Amino acid sequence: MSYVWYKKGAELLKEIEEFRKVRDHLGLWYIGQMGMVFGWNGKILCVDPVLGAMPDDSGMDRRNYPAPFEPEEFSVDFVFCTHDHGDHMHGETLRRLAKRNPEMKIFLPEPLKKQAGEIGIPAAQVVGMRQKEILCPGNALPEGFSVRGVATAHEEYRFDETGCSETLGYVFRFGPYRLFHSGDTVVTREMAEELKMEQGIDVLMVPINGRDLERHARGIVGNMDSREACWFGAEIGADLVIPLHYDMIGGNEENPLVFADYMERLYPDRKYHIMRLGEGLKF
C-alpha cells in the first residue's frame, strides 16, 4: 500500500477551502486512518482527524506517514469523534483545532464529554450525542444537513449507566446524499437493520483492519475485516463503499487490495473506491 500523499499541505487545504463556494454539491477528502473531511454549502466538517504524532509507550511515533497539515492551518466548522481511542479522539489535534477555530463545535458520544474537558477542550465547544439522536440546522448546522448517531460495537457494545453508547457511528445527510461513517466497529445485525431503514446509503465508510488474538495480546481492539465490510455494504444496499482504517498505525495495517479482491469476486455488481491519502471526491 502507498504511504505517499496525493495532495497535502497548502494544496490540499486550498482545495478544501475553495469548496466552501460550492452550493448543493458534496465534497469529501481522506486524511488518513478513519479521518474524513466533508464540504457542504459553505461549511467544512471533519470526522476523527489525527493531525499529530501517535507515540507508543516508549515515545516513538507509530504513524507510517506524516500528517497532511498542521491543525493551526485548518479552518473547520464541525468535528465529529466516534470514540475515545487516540487515533479517533486525538487530544493534541482537538485542542489545537479548538484554539484555531474558537467557533468550532466538537460532537462526540455523550459519555465522553467529561473526558473532552480533561484533555483541554472548552466545554462551550463540546456537544454530546446519543444513539438515535438527530441534530438538524437548528443546532447551528448548515442548511440541508442533519446527522444521527448510531450505536456501534468496537468488538462489543458499551453503554454508560444512563444507556448512552460510548461509541458512535454517524449517518450524515447532505441534501440528497446519505453517508454513514462507522468509526471503529464490527458488523452486527442490529447495526445492519438500523441502516437498512435509511433506504439507501450513498457512501459507506468502514474499517477493514480486522481483529485477531495476536493484536488482542497487544491490547488492540479490533474491527470488521475486509470480507465483513464487503458483505455489510451489500447487505444495507450502500451505493459506494470506501474502506478505511488500514494504513496509519504500524502493526495494525491491512492491505486494501484484499478488500478489492473480495469485492471483485463476491460483489462484482457493486461500487467501491480505495482513496489515496489526500484524495477528494465530488458529488
Side-chain angles (χ1 to χ4, degrees):
M1 75 191 86
S2 172
Y3 297 141
V4 178
W5 286 93
Y6 169 68
K7 286 186 180 179
K8 62 179 179 179
E11 182 183 21
L12 177 56
L13 287 165
K14 181 180 179 181
E15 181 177 305
I16 294 171
E17 187 63 24
E18 287 188 344
F19 202 81
R20 289 184 186 270
K21 304 172 186 176
V22 177
R23 289 295 179 269
D24 300 322
H25 289 277
L26 172 66
L28 59 152
W29 294 264
Y30 176 49
I31 58 171
Q33 197 72 338
M34 289 296 289
M36 295 294 298
V37 176
F38 305 133
W40 173 257
N41 284 354
K43 299 295 185 180
I44 302 300
L45 303 84
C46 190
V47 185
D48 287 351
V50 182
L51 302 175
M54 286 291 300
D56 61 19
D57 292 339
S58 67
M60 293 292 292
D61 193 355
R62 294 175 290 160
R63 293 187 66 125
N64 288 320
Y65 49 80
F69 42 73
E70 296 293 326
E72 290 78 7
E73 299 176 292
F74 189 27
S75 177
V76 59
D77 301 289
F78 306 103
V79 172
F80 292 81
C81 295
T82 58
H83 63 290
D84 64 353
H85 288 169
D87 55 337
H88 300 263
M89 186 176 172
H90 189 255
E92 176 192 355
T93 294
L94 297 178
R95 284 191 300 273
R96 292 166 67 184
L97 283 177
K99 185 176 181 180
R100 162 64 174 83
N101 303 277
E103 300 301 315
M104 179 188 79
K105 298 296 184 183
I106 299 174
F107 297 83
L108 40 70
E110 178 70 26
L112 303 186
K113 287 177 64 177
K114 180 179 178 182
Q115 187 171 336
E118 291 172 348
I119 63 175
I121 309 302
Q125 291 185 264
V126 177
V127 180
M129 284 193 66
R130 300 170 175 84
Q131 66 272 24
K132 301 186 184 300
E133 180 180 12
I134 300 174
L135 298 182
C136 298
N139 300 82
L141 297 170
E143 195 63 36
F145 171 82
S146 69
V147 57
R148 178 169 65 85
V150 176
T152 53
H154 199 359
E155 295 214 31
E156 61 184 13
Y157 286 104
R158 302 200 316 267
F159 301 95
D160 70 4
E161 64 278 4
T162 68
C164 293
S165 180
E166 297 177 7
T167 62
L168 288 177
Y170 298 101
V171 174
F172 296 101
R173 292 195 179 194
F174 299 93
Y177 307 107
R178 300 181 187 184
L179 287 65
F180 180 61
H181 186 295
S182 72
D184 281 4
T185 187
V186 296
V187 176
T188 68
R189 176 54 64 184
E190 296 91 335
M191 185 170 64
E193 293 301 322
E194 183 172 351
L195 290 174
K196 282 181 183 180
M197 295 175 63
E198 289 291 329
Q199 297 180 334
I201 295 292
D202 295 291
V203 183
L204 173 68
M205 294 157 281
V206 286
I208 61 166
N209 62 303
R211 57 205 179 276
D212 53 55
L213 288 176
E214 185 273 327
R215 281 179 288 181
H216 284 168
R218 291 190 280 125
I220 296 176
V221 184
N223 292 310
M224 65 182 81
D225 61 22
S226 289
R227 184 165 185 148
E228 291 170 311
C230 295
W231 177 86
F232 183 49
E235 179 70 6
I236 68 170
D239 184 58
L240 173 66
V241 183
I242 297 177
L244 301 174
H245 206 298
Y246 57 78
D247 58 3
M248 182 185 287
I249 304 300
N252 195 22
E253 305 96 338
E254 178 56 272
N255 186 346
L257 296 183
V258 173
F259 169 87
D261 179 63
Y262 280 126
M263 287 294 289
E264 293 292 343
R265 288 192 295 110
L266 302 180
Y267 306 98
D269 59 332
R270 310 203 68 84
K271 290 193 303 184
Y272 67 93
H273 186 73
I274 298 171
M275 297 192 74
R276 291 293 189 184
L277 291 165
E279 179 186 1
L281 299 176
K282 313 300 190 298
F283 295 86

